Amino acid sequence: MGILSDKLSAVKPSQTKAMTELAETMRAAGKSIITLSQGEPDFDTPQHICQAAIAAIQAGHTRYTSVAGITPLREAIVEKFRRENNLTYTIDQITVGCGAKQLLFSALMASLDEGDEVLFPTPCWVSYPEMVKLTGGIPVAIPTSVDNGFILGPDELRAALNENSKWLMLNSPSNPTGAVYTASDLQALAEVLRDFPRVWILSDDIYEHLVYGDVEFATMAAVAPDLAERTLTVNGVSKAYAMTGWRVGYAGGPLELIKAMNTVQGQSTSHTCSVSQYAAVTALNGDQSFIDEFRAAFSTRRDAMVKQVNAIPGLSCDTPDGAFYVFADCRELLGKATPGGSVLSTDMDFAMYLMESAGVAVVPGSGFLADGFIRISYAASEDDLTRAIAAIHAAVVQLTEATS
Ligand SMILES: Cc1ncc(COP(=O)(O)O)c(C=O)c1O
């Protein structure tokens, strides 16, 4: 009998992390690999935020904090939600955790009983189904298609809901597709959710600031204020402020749920790092102008990537409205043979071929519950992106029809 619980044996490790780690192993073995599998900005954390952290250490802010987070940070979050999202929370309706990831986990842990179903549109972030399994719920994928821009429609939602449904998890802009829900997309879903009062909405807004062109970000609690009493809005500083390693996420929602999430966190990690919390205060209250600079750089890279990916025979993608990924359809390439004679049967085979032959790490779509796609991150330097796309192009044109 092994040591692992039945619950854990059903849980898969993250494929994005696995691809990035494999790239690192190959690099350590002397192979040149360009990593386009990562989910983090390639920019450095802005200097004024780093300085705030140094000042916090020097001021002795190095001890335990309250579970929900230091008061100045929760005040800054109340103000952020008011300023940017038109959402009103009191300070005790806010909690801070070790990244948005921990808050999603705590919310599920605090609310799921056996048999409860958690719905999410797919393609979805790799962690959603696994977190649901870990916290004792049943993950329910609602497939969306490339033809409707990977946006979940009201009829598909209605068809998936039943008396066991507990949560609908929405992520906009989406990882991995970059799809952004407009206010009217959310209104249409809200209309359905009003008929299912038991269902809560988990809005994962972590890519909020990464929307391009004239696309506008929208979030459920603001679009449908009558649903705010059963909506948890989750966000964090990782993506917008290039602070992935600092591990600061936050959530606003109904008091009863926030208190229960604090109990989960209080009995596990206690709170996120005190120094990181002070840095996050400066991030949220300080100068925001660099976000526009990040956004402009991502937008230029996105346009270049979309053009170059579509120029590769057998690969295609639409222009995503947000986040920093293109989700490319590789179905035409499946079934083809590599110069070494092996047949690419799955998106995983294709991703491994790109790693070995092109020296580029991408993530197979199956990790996001979407077979036949690859996710390419453009959170990398323009030079790396140009070299990577040229190498992918060269590897793809070497594929031939497989002889049966
Ligand atoms: C969709 C989505 N939600 C949440 C997170 C977690 O972000 P963090 O825990 O760094 O705040 C990520 C990170 O990749 C993500 O892609």
Side-chain angles (χ1 to χ4, degrees):
M1 208 165 66
I3 180 73
L4 300 185
S5 67
D6 290 344
K7 198 195 280 173
L8 200 86
S9 57
V11 174
K12 291 190 291 238
S14 154
Q15 248 185 50
T16 44
K17 291 219 180 324
M19 289 308 275
T20 306
E21 275 159 26
L22 180 60
E24 262 156 39
T25 312
M26 290 180 73
R27 206 176 288 122
K31 201 154 166 39
S32 155
I33 303 280
I34 302 174
T35 310
L36 302 186
S37 52
Q38 70 280 31
E40 61 182 347
D42 53 310
F43 305 113
D44 291 330
T45 306
Q47 263 310 307
H48 67 286
I49 299 175
C50 298
Q51 288 307 328
I54 293 167
I57 295 173
Q58 284 167 342
H61 295 308
T62 52
R63 298 175 190 275
Y64 290 136
T65 74
S66 68
V67 169
I70 56 172
T71 300
L73 179 53
R74 284 186 293 145
E75 283 170 350
I77 294 163
V78 166
E79 176 53 21
K80 179 265 176 253
F81 276 132
R82 194 201 54 74
R83 179 178 74 227
E84 296 182 345
N85 307 115
N86 202 19
L87 291 175
T88 309
Y89 294 111
T90 55
I91 192 166
D92 50 4
Q93 286 182 289
I94 301 292
T95 188
V96 175
C98 306
K101 198 173 205 171
Q102 187 186 11
L103 294 156
L104 299 173
F105 190 90
S106 297
L108 296 173
M109 193 73 196
S111 60
L112 293 180
D113 283 318
E114 209 185 309
D116 283 340
E117 295 184 357
V118 179
L119 286 64
F120 42 81
T122 56
C124 64
W125 185 36
V126 287
S127 293
Y128 289 167
E130 309 311 314
M131 270 189 195
V132 173
K133 287 185 230 162
L134 267 175
T135 51
I138 303 169
V140 178
I142 319 178
T144 64
S145 93
V146 66
D147 303 330
N148 55 16
F150 296 113
I151 295 286
L152 173 67
D155 296 339
E156 298 153 303
L157 174 62
R158 191 178 288 279
L161 287 164
N162 63 45
E163 68 279 7
N164 296 322
S165 312
K166 186 78 179 260
W167 283 99
L168 170 66
M169 295 177 86
L170 287 177
N171 171 221
S172 171
S174 150
N175 174 8
T177 65
V180 177
Y181 284 72
T182 62
S184 71
D185 292 330
L186 294 178
Q187 280 293 6
L189 299 180
E191 209 44 54
V192 175
L193 291 162
R194 289 189 182 104
D195 294 338
F196 293 85
R198 180 177 186 261
V199 179
W200 281 59
I201 302 105
L202 209 163
S203 184
D204 178 350
D205 296 356
I206 194 78
Y207 293 96
E208 168 179 14
H209 289 290
L210 302 178
V211 290
Y212 310 114
D214 43 21
V215 172
E216 278 183 32
F217 170 80
T219 190
M220 187 60 98
V223 165
D226 58 313
L227 299 186
E229 61 190 27
R230 49 184 170 115
T231 299
L232 183 72
T233 307
V234 175
N235 209 322
V237 297
S238 286
K239 317 283 176 176
Y241 299 90
M243 292 178 70
T244 46
W246 299 75
R247 310 309 302 132
V248 182
Y250 53 86
L255 191 55
E256 187 187 14
L257 176 63
I258 296 290
K259 275 189 181 164
M261 289 168 64
N262 287 339
T263 304
V264 173
Q265 182 163 288
Q267 299 295 10
S268 49
T269 57
S270 292
H271 58 79
T272 195
C273 165
S274 58
V275 175
S276 296
Q277 293 188 53
Y278 281 90
V281 173
T282 297
L284 292 174
N285 287 346
D287 173 29
Q288 307 287 305
S289 59
F290 59 88
I291 296 182
D292 286 336
E293 289 162 30
F294 287 179
R295 193 179 13 237
F298 281 136
S299 170
T300 306
R301 293 178 197 174
R302 174 198 65 160
D303 293 345
M305 278 290 277
V306 167
K307 214 163 134 201
Q308 288 163 1
V309 166
N310 283 308
I312 301 176
L315 274 188
S316 62
C317 67
D318 287 334
T319 303
D321 286 328
F324 39 60
Y325 312 104
V326 295
F327 203 56
D329 190 336
C330 63
R331 285 175 290 188
E332 267 185 43
L333 298 176
L334 301 184
K336 300 215 172 203
T338 68
S342 35
V343 175
L344 301 178
S345 302
T346 62
D347 49 28
M348 181 54 144
D349 294 345
F350 180 51
M352 289 312 293
Y353 172 66
L354 293 183
M355 178 93 90
E356 279 153 17
S357 301
V360 179
V362 299
V363 186
S366 45
F368 308 99
L369 305 190
D371 292 349
F373 289 79
I374 53 167
R375 189 195 75 175
I376 312 174
S377 167
Y378 53 86
S381 71
E382 280 174 39
D383 184 42
D384 274 357
L385 291 175
T386 308
R387 285 191 301 120
I389 293 294
I392 293 176
H393 199 139
V396 167
V397 295
Q398 287 182 49
L399 298 173
T400 52
E401 293 307 324
T403 47
S404 48

